[in-house]
Amino acid sequence: MSAMQQVDFDIARARSETPGCRHVVHFNNAGAALMPQPVINAVGDYLRLEASIGGYEAAEQAHDKIDQVYDLAAQLVGCARNEIAIVENATRAWDMAFYSIPFKAGDRIFTSMAEYASNYIPFLQVQKRIGVTIEIVPNDEHGQLSLDALKEMADDDVRLIAITHVPTNCGLVNPADEIGKVARRVNALYLLDACQSVGQMPIDVERIGCDMLSATSRKFLRGPRGVGFLYVRSSLIGELEPPFLDLHAARWVNRKQYEIRSDARRFENWEANYAANVGLGAAISYSLEWGLDDIWRRVRFLGDTLREKLGEIPGITVHDLGAVKCGIVAFSLAGWDAEAVRRALRRGNINVSVARKEHTLLDMASRGLDTFVRASIHYYNSEDEIDRFYKTLKSIGGSPNTAGRY
Ligand SMILES: *Cc1c(COP(=O)(O)O)cnc(C)c1O
């Protein structure tokens, strides 16, 4: 497919508001994106407030700003604020949803080939403890989850459809909306790992039809590390008793009783990194200001441009699956270990990461792949950077792989 149309995007502003752009070519946005100045300010200002008046006093003074993060997260994914929990990261968000589901023996869990290790390991644990079954929906000819296979496999026994929207390792975007329609039809719960899609593309939980969704701050939202959020549909919250409860998630009523909060904050715990929470709020505001539709168009344009460029380099194989591809670009260089490519690029001041088999085992094993390079672009990256990336990679490819020997 040809590259998407370039969009009208104030790239100069995006870059000038991103101090890191002056130091590195950052193609590791699926790991942790470069924070823009408003996020850096929000986190720094909050820490300084804590240092100057005290942590609890800062939380009191900044109450409205901290509280507003729920509204912002709700606006970002199209839900109500009482359906949002702010937690430490996407994994904890996902865990709190998953481990709250009252599974019984024989319940069927459907998942995708693209599933992330930190989701599949809990499936296995619940299988061991309770005796649920794990069923993997195969991919279609594009390499995305096969809707035909899903429709054929799905019946009223399916308890949970838990899939990854965009996998950690490549450019695939699973057809989340259509999966949601099947989930509705068979009355299954639908848990979407949107860790790599939130911030990269518009997300609307109503359109997707998911019951639960997990996201993180540091990836395509460009927020600080160590914070993420969970969405849970309000009609479902009362049925989900969290695996851990504390004095924030529940109230100690008397010697024999506790009462769990009625909103999604039952999935939180009391202590939080408020500087990070406020930073998440600033990151969401900033994304909304650019507009997720425009971000998504720009990300696809740059992603397609990078894939086309890589296709011109002898020895490069691009590994991205899917009918729709996003800003994550996966590739390998013949004769080169992925980690050696990463280190060689790092010496050229270019950041990428390495995708490893054990992180998305079903996918990697089915394709006979152990590792490859993951270059993940974002809207603030430039075509000049792609050019520099291309030239650096070409020079690496043309040189003997001595740096790669351990
Ligand atoms: C990064 C990632 C996660 C985990 O997110 P954390 O914030 O690190 O917990 C989950 N799922 C996918 C697909 C990811 O890429």
Side-chain angles (χ1 to χ4, degrees):
M1 222 174 72
S2 67
M4 302 286 300
Q5 280 301 296
Q6 170 64 294
V7 274
D8 189 20
F9 208 95
D10 191 351
I11 179 68
R13 189 192 132 202
R15 294 183 66 75
S16 74
E17 290 175 358
T18 305
C21 287
R22 296 195 279 278
H23 308 291
V24 286
V25 173
H26 192 67
F27 287 2
N28 191 14
N29 293 286
L34 295 176
M35 287 180 279
Q37 197 61 53
V39 170
I40 300 165
N41 293 348
V43 175
D45 290 349
Y46 191 88
L47 271 182
R48 275 186 289 276
L49 185 66
E50 282 190 337
S52 63
I53 66 168
Y56 286 36
E57 294 72 15
E60 190 179 11
Q61 186 171 314
H63 172 272
D64 291 355
K65 191 173 271 180
I66 293 164
D67 192 58
Q68 203 203 359
V69 186
Y70 294 89
D71 297 303
L72 288 164
Q75 191 187 340
L76 181 72
V77 300
C79 69
R81 58 172 274 130
N82 67 335
E83 298 176 308
I84 295 289
I86 297 171
V87 293
E88 299 92 315
N89 50 59
T91 303
R92 181 45 49 91
W94 190 96
D95 284 342
M96 290 305 277
F98 177 74
Y99 284 104
S100 296
I101 299 169
F103 289 110
K104 27 180 218 331
D107 277 348
R108 301 168 74 194
I109 297 174
F110 280 17
T111 191
S112 63
M113 289 296 292
E115 210 56 17
Y116 189 58
S118 297
N119 304 347
Y120 201 88
I121 292 166
F123 298 154
L124 290 171
Q125 192 188 38
V126 168
Q127 180 176 56
K128 186 174 71 179
R129 282 183 181 168
I130 302 176
V132 300
T133 64
I134 307 165
E135 295 172 48
I136 300 155
V137 183
N139 284 339
D140 67 12
E141 69 276 18
H142 301 293
Q144 63 177 16
L145 179 136
S146 164
L147 292 165
D148 289 339
L150 174 67
K151 285 173 193 159
E152 203 170 302
M153 291 163 70
D155 61 29
D156 294 344
D157 287 346
V158 183
R159 182 71 172 122
L160 174 69
I161 298 177
I163 65 133
T164 297
H165 195 189
V166 168
T168 204
N169 64 337
C170 79
L172 166 69
V173 183
N174 263 323
D177 304 13
E178 286 78 9
I179 294 166
K181 292 194 186 99
V182 180
R184 282 278 106 84
R185 188 163 56 70
V186 299
N187 213 14
L189 293 174
Y190 180 16
L191 168 55
L192 186 68
D193 177 342
C195 197
Q196 295 289 5
S197 54
V198 167
Q200 188 176 179
M201 63 189 73
I203 297 288
D204 182 337
V205 293
E206 286 309 320
R207 200 191 62 233
I208 293 172
C210 57
D211 301 295
M212 299 156 279
L213 174 147
S214 54
T216 204
S217 154
R218 74 179 184 283
K219 296 179 180 175
F220 287 90
L221 275 176
R222 310 183 62 194
R225 298 192 65 169
V227 59
F229 69 87
L230 171 69
Y231 153 79
V232 180
R233 185 178 296 284
S234 64
S235 56
L236 182 63
I237 295 171
E239 294 170 38
L240 300 180
E241 175 147 352
F244 318 121
L245 290 171
D246 70 354
L247 49 71
H248 170 82
R251 194 170 64 87
W252 190 8
V253 180
N254 60 42
R255 250 180 78 170
K256 293 185 172 166
Q257 285 176 300
Y258 63 87
E259 210 172 77
I260 310 177
R261 285 181 70 114
S262 60
D263 60 15
R265 294 173 72 172
R266 65 169 55 191
F267 303 105
E268 298 178 344
N269 53 73
W270 189 83
E271 174 59 353
N273 181 347
Y274 286 105
N277 288 16
V278 165
L280 167 64
I284 296 172
S285 291
Y286 193 73
S287 296
L288 291 170
E289 237 178 80
W290 284 103
L292 273 302
D293 286 309
D294 285 355
I295 289 173
W296 182 217
R297 264 194 298 275
R298 167 107 184 135
V299 162
R300 271 180 300 167
F301 165 74
L302 290 176
D304 286 348
T305 305
L306 179 55
R307 276 182 209 99
E308 266 174 32
K309 281 291 227 184
L310 287 177
E312 294 170 12
I313 304 177
I316 294 263
T317 311
V318 176
H319 297 294
D320 295 311
L321 302 173
V324 177
K325 293 184 182 68
C326 68
I328 304 178
V329 180
F331 67 92
S332 44
L333 178 58
W336 276 73
D337 176 67
E339 180 55 27
V341 175
R342 187 193 69 78
R343 276 187 273 130
L345 287 166
R346 186 77 203 91
R347 278 192 296 277
N349 220 14
I350 297 171
N351 298 342
V352 294
S353 63
V354 172
R356 296 182 191 287
K357 184 175 185 176
E358 64 269 25
H359 294 173
T360 47
L361 187 66
L362 302 174
D363 172 48
M364 298 293 266
S366 76
R367 296 200 266 165
L369 295 165
D370 279 326
T371 58
F372 48 66
V373 184
R374 179 184 72 175
S376 45
I377 54 83
H378 211 340
Y379 62 86
Y380 62 82
N381 290 123
S382 68
E383 288 165 83
D384 283 350
E385 286 179 315
I386 290 178
D387 218 50
R388 197 170 132 199
F389 183 81
Y390 166 81
K391 285 182 181 135
T392 310
L393 205 53
K394 233 172 123 175
S395 71
I396 295 171
S399 67
N401 179 11
T402 47
R405 298 218 181 95
Y406 294 97

